[in-house]
Structures are given as C-alpha cells and as structure tokens.
Amino acid sequence: MNMLSSLATDTIHWGAILFLFGLLILVIAIGVMYWVDTHQTLHTIRRNYPVVGRFRYLLEHLGEFFRQYFFAMDREERPFDRAERSWAYRAAKKVDTTIAFGSTRSLDTPGDIFFVNCAFPTLDEDAALPKEICIGEFTAKKPYRTSSVVNISGMSFGALSKPAVQALSKGARKAGIWMNTGEGGLSPYHLEGGCDLVFQIGTAKYGVRDEQGNLDDDKLTKVAAHEQVRMIEIKMSQGAKPGKGGMLPGAKVTEEIAYIRGIPKGRDSISPNGHKNIKSIEDLLEMIHHVRSLTGKPVGFKMVVGDLHFFEKLCDLVHKKGLPYCPDFITIDSSDGGTGAAPQPLMDYVGMQLRESLPKVVDIVTAYGLRKYIKIISSGKLVVPGKAAWALSAGADFVVSARGFLFSLGCIQALQCNKNTCPTGITTHNADLQKGLQAQEKSERVANYADGLLHGIGLIAHSCGVKEPRELTREHVRIIENQSHSLLFSEVNPLPNVRPEFINLVGFETPETTEKVENIVRS
C-alpha cells in the first residue's frame, strides 16, 4: 500500500513538473512567435495580429479537408465530385455501384446531356462484345489490333511512383487494355506487367533523346523493338498545360528516373513548350512518317484543341503528301486539367474543353474523307460511364483516362500531385508513403475499374438499343436547352458528309497507290 501511495505521489510530483516545463516552453514559443510576427514585414495579418494571425494559414489548409469530407455536397466538388469518386472507388473494389432514392445529379442544367433510351432495349442474349479495331492498317508494318474500349492515359514514371506504375501495368494486362507510358520514357515497371503499351514522345523526348535533347533514332528503335510497345504517340500538348511542357520537381527526379529520362539527378525536369523540330504542320507529318518508318508501328499525336483550322490544314496537307504521312490516330485531350503539375492560368483559361473539341475534330476528319485512316482517341475527365459513353457517341473510337485509374489505386484527390507528399503513395517517391500502396493488390482494382467502366458504358448502350458501345451515335444523345426542352446531339452538331472532292480519295485507294504504300511498308 505504501508503495502505491509513493508511486502516486511521485507521478503527481513529476507530472506537475512536466506540466510546468511544457507550459514554460509554450510561453517561450509564444513569445518568440510574437517577436517574430511584430518585426517581420511580409505578412500584414501576422504583423497586426501577432500569433493569432498564424491560425489563418492552418485553418485555410484544413479547410480543404473539411470541405471535402463534411461541407461540400455530392455534386459540388472540383475537379471531381464525391459522386464520381465514389462510383470509381466502388467499381475498383468490385462492390455494389447502384444507388437508391433518386439521382443527385442535376438533370435540367443547360448544356448537359442525357441518353435516349429505346422502347426495345438490347437483351442480354443479343448484346455483343466490342468489335476489334485496327490502328495503322494502311500505313504501319506492324498495325495494332485491339477490341479494348477503355484504356489508361499517359502518366509518366516520375510523376507516378514505382508501385503505382507496376499496379497499372499489371492491371492493364488483366483487363486486356493498353497503358500509355507518358512522356517520362519506358521504365522496367511498364514492361513488368506484360500489358500493351503506347510509348509517348514528349517535347523533351525523354528516354529517346541525345545529349542535346534531340530525337535519337537508335534509342527510339530499341524502345520500339519491345513487342509490348504497340504504338507511338507524339505529345504536342496536354490538358493540364496546353502550351507548356512537362514539369517534374527536382525532389522527384531520383537516380533511377534520371537514368530512364536521360537527365541530371535532383534537378527540376522542365520540358520545352514544344518540339524543337516540329514548328509547322508539315514538320509534324514528316515526324510521323519518320517515326513510323523507323519503328514500323502506328504513330499518332496528342493535343489539346485550340485552333480548329489546324486540323483542316493538316487533313488538306495529308491529301497532298499522301497516305504514308497520315497520322494513324489523334488523341484529343480536354483543357480542364490532368494529373501533372501546371500553372493555374493555363489550366483555367487555355484550350477547348472536350465537349466542344471532340465532335469538331471528328467532323473535320470525316469531311476530308480520312476517318477510315485516322482513329480518334478521347481523353479528359472521362472517369464514369456516362461521360465515356458520350465520347463514343461523339465519334471517338477509344476512351483513355488517367485520373479515373488513379482513383482505382486509392487516390483521395488530395491535390498534391505536383509535390512529393502524396498521402496514398501514388505520386510520391517517399518510401514511407509508398509502403501503403501494394502493387499486386491494387492491380486487381485497376482491372476491376476498367471492367466496371466498360460494363457501365454497355448498360447505357443496351438501354439505347444498340448491341455494343461503339454503336452509340449522336442520335442517342440529347442536349438540355432548358428545364422543358432538349435537342438531339445530331441536330445540334450533325456529322457531315464527305466533301465531294474527297469521296474517291484519289491518291489513296487507287491500285498504284496501294502498291506504293505496300512497298513503303515492306521496306
């Protein structure tokens, strides 16, 4: 009993001492902060309200999380609302994605769309799998045939962590879809999963550059020699920053990433605004022809649309130069951001949104009679079935998503992709943060999300009375004008007929030209 009494007395005694010591430290800290705040000249609030003014910055930071988890409604958040993220999480976990008691989406917002359900929907026994599409059928020595509809958009190793790339690669293999490498070069982790790959050549030509930053043909040939590399994509611009190159902070440029990219370790990796060797449409077509001649694989380009006349001039020049200079695909990105770091003025104010640009580009390519040769890939916030199905109805052959697949990995939209502090380990190279991201487990969720997105698109397609997603057209979509009126997408933006001068495509389909193209391909 005496021992317990003594222990209690000592505990109270030392507890009081520690409390007084802590209180003394707090008083000293407040005194130091008060002196610093009253003598600094950079922050008005802190100078006028010493110590207390510091809480403003803490509350401002915490406000992001309070809005996300407590105050914002399901459809209010940006860039992705809670309803969209929740659907992606549930699809990735392969749990119930149904909802009850009515939609939380506003169904009468002007400009929004809805699909035209059919009185006689497609029965399950009549539904069909997506048809196979061939990219580079008329130009490439090794064309790419695939039936995938949903694929993984460009995200580089460097912007993403090693386990994130591993999980995406393995998940893509399981789902039977392709993965775009992004502009950071081809890493062992892209190849590790065994999926089909689209190798992206960015403005800095990471992974295939010489010491001066120019394209190294030998390095490109070695990259393309990998059987998994099915296509080559030349990145002109991207949704996060049209008119500006990639931005990778030096803290994320590890020794391994520096080696793969061919740049110095630990330095900011800032890509040029554009390709030094592509300053005109003719340069772009020459680049496409050169890369395809070297690799024998389909080649296209990616960009955010700004000037629609660019595509008219491009199609016109393709007719003049001939089929060997025709891009095999065009990836249309939306202007409303992406996974990469970007200046806010570019992300907020530059470039067309996908809703406008995608149908316009499809119209131009169709009018010039090139739709058969140029496949259209659509990118830009297509993370839920409704948005992806709209892209297909507008004329896209494929849909690619980056942030949707990040959600499948567990992304919580912490908005820290441009730092090295991602709490989920996806966009950081901090080993302590990466340990929570288990590639094998997350690869299952990547595959589940891809399957769930395709299944959701299929539900819409069957409701519209067609057998498979690529049969959706503008006739199946209505655009809301006001609360009591909507118009068919095909009325607002009808798909044009091929212009008379391009109907026969002289110089493309004649036996002489076909033989000429075949000879080029063989060589």
Side-chain angles (χ1 to χ4, degrees):
M1 189 68 179
N2 289 335
M3 186 170 20
L4 291 175
S5 177
S6 176
L7 181 62
T9 301
D10 288 345
T11 301
I12 294 172
H13 175 74
W14 285 106
I17 291 175
L18 289 173
F19 174 77
L20 290 174
F21 180 74
L23 189 62
L24 178 62
I25 294 296
L26 179 62
V27 170
I28 293 173
I30 291 174
V32 170
M33 286 189 289
Y34 181 89
W35 189 90
V36 171
D37 287 350
T38 54
H39 286 75
Q40 60 84 34
T41 57
L42 296 177
H43 305 281
T44 304
I45 293 295
R46 283 172 52 192
R47 189 174 177 86
N48 289 343
Y49 303 94
V51 183
V52 178
R54 290 173 178 260
F55 284 94
R56 172 183 178 273
Y57 306 102
L58 174 63
L59 295 175
E60 190 177 57
H61 176 67
L62 292 176
E64 295 180 12
F65 305 100
F66 278 97
R67 287 191 295 273
Q68 181 173 357
Y69 292 107
F70 298 107
F71 302 126
M73 301 296 286
D74 282 352
R75 300 287 181 172
E76 287 182 345
E77 288 184 87
R78 295 289 185 273
F80 294 91
D81 60 47
R82 187 182 295 116
E84 292 174 324
R85 297 199 320 272
S86 178
W87 184 89
Y89 295 146
R90 295 198 304 272
K93 295 174 183 176
K94 212 171 186 178
V95 298
D96 186 13
T97 56
T98 60
I99 59 173
F101 217 66
S103 174
T104 59
R105 175 177 177 253
S106 176
L107 303 179
D108 55 8
T109 303
D112 273 0
I113 60 100
F114 63 89
F115 291 88
V116 181
N117 60 296
C118 178
F120 308 102
T122 301
L123 301 176
D124 289 344
E125 55 265 33
D126 296 325
L129 294 174
K131 295 183 178 69
E132 185 179 79
I133 287 184
C134 184
I135 308 175
E137 179 179 4
F138 304 97
T139 56
K141 185 177 181 180
K142 298 178 181 178
Y144 178 42
R145 299 179 183 276
T146 178
S147 59
S148 68
V149 175
V150 175
N151 301 281
I152 302 176
S153 189
M155 295 179 284
S156 64
F157 175 54
L160 298 189
S161 64
K162 170 184 171 180
V165 174
Q166 289 173 316
L168 290 170
S169 175
K170 293 175 181 177
R173 169 73 177 190
K174 293 173 183 177
I177 64 178
W178 81 59
M179 177 184 181
N180 191 305
T181 64
E183 68 171 331
L186 181 67
S187 75
Y189 315 116
H190 290 111
L191 297 166
E192 185 178 303
C195 67
D196 289 346
L197 296 170
V198 177
F199 179 76
Q200 187 180 90
I201 301 176
T203 56
K205 299 176 176 61
Y206 294 130
V208 290
R209 57 185 270 142
D210 60 20
E211 293 182 358
Q212 290 72 43
N214 300 312
L215 182 66
D216 186 313
D217 288 354
D218 291 336
K219 289 182 179 180
L220 177 58
T221 303
K222 289 178 182 178
V223 166
H226 290 281
E227 185 65 26
Q228 288 173 239
V229 176
R230 303 292 188 177
M231 301 193 293
I232 313 292
E233 180 180 79
I234 301 168
K235 190 184 84 168
M236 303 294 288
S237 61
Q238 67 184 83
K241 42 189 174 289
K244 179 129 183 106
M247 302 167 63
L248 187 66
K252 298 179 74 172
V253 183
T254 64
E255 184 174 353
E256 183 178 33
I257 290 165
Y259 173 77
I260 291 171
R261 294 192 175 210
I263 57 175
K265 173 187 173 184
R267 294 187 191 175
D268 290 349
S269 179
I270 309 297
S271 301
N273 286 18
H275 292 267
K276 296 179 181 178
N277 62 325
I278 303 178
K279 297 182 179 180
S280 67
I281 296 174
E282 181 154 5
D283 289 344
L284 174 59
L285 297 185
E286 290 287 347
M287 177 75 163
I288 290 169
H289 175 61
H290 176 69
V291 172
R292 191 162 50 217
S293 299
L294 276 177
T295 65
K297 297 187 176 181
V299 181
F301 65 92
K302 172 183 180 178
M303 71 183 305
V304 176
V305 178
D307 178 16
L308 287 169
H309 292 299
F310 165 87
F311 290 93
E312 294 178 351
K313 295 173 184 176
L314 181 139
C315 290
D316 187 58
L317 190 56
V318 165
H319 280 289
K320 292 176 181 177
K321 293 180 73 68
L323 187 57
Y325 294 84
C326 182
D328 295 307
F329 64 89
I330 299 174
T331 303
I332 304 298
D333 203 359
S334 189
S335 65
D336 41 14
T339 56
Q344 187 169 343
L346 294 181
M347 196 178 286
D348 285 349
Y349 288 101
V350 179
M352 279 189 193
Q353 291 190 49
L354 188 71
R355 185 68 64 84
E356 180 181 7
S357 61
L358 175 60
K360 296 294 186 186
V361 172
V362 171
D363 291 351
I364 293 171
V365 174
T366 301
Y368 277 80
L370 296 175
R371 192 66 184 85
K372 178 179 179 180
Y373 309 96
I374 302 175
K375 307 306 179 188
I376 303 295
I377 302 172
S378 176
S379 175
K381 298 183 75 173
L382 306 176
V383 304
V384 291
K387 292 184 176 181
W390 170 85
L392 295 172
S393 71
D397 297 293
F398 303 93
V399 169
V400 293
S401 175
R403 288 170 289 182
F405 283 96
L406 293 191
F407 289 139
S408 75
L409 293 177
C411 169
I412 61 172
Q413 194 170 273
L415 308 180
Q416 297 181 36
C417 305
N418 57 326
K419 303 174 184 177
N420 202 29
T421 55
C422 172
T424 59
I426 298 172
T427 62
T428 177
H429 300 290
N430 184 319
D432 291 334
L433 294 174
Q434 286 183 4
K435 65 184 179 182
L437 182 60
Q438 298 298 308
Q440 189 60 43
E441 167 65 23
K442 295 299 184 181
S443 68
E444 295 290 341
R445 297 194 178 186
V446 169
N448 290 342
Y449 173 73
D451 292 341
L453 187 54
L454 180 59
H455 176 72
I457 298 169
L459 289 176
I460 293 173
H462 301 157
S463 178
C464 292
V466 298
K467 293 183 178 182
E468 63 110 337
R470 288 197 181 95
E471 292 181 3
L472 287 169
T473 69
R474 299 178 190 187
E475 294 284 343
H476 298 115
V477 178
R478 295 190 73 88
I479 300 175
I480 299 169
E481 279 208 321
N482 54 52
Q483 291 182 338
S484 59
H485 187 63
S486 64
L487 290 170
L488 273 174
F489 188 10
S490 57
E491 295 174 355
V492 176
N493 194 338
L495 191 66
N497 295 320
V498 179
R499 286 165 51 174
E501 63 267 38
F502 301 125
I503 289 177
N504 294 323
L505 286 178
V506 175
F508 273 69
E509 296 285 13
T510 61
E512 295 81 6
T513 305
T514 302
E515 183 180 355
K516 178 182 175 183
V517 171
E518 288 176 351
N519 290 335
I520 292 173
V521 170
R522 289 193 195 98
S523 64

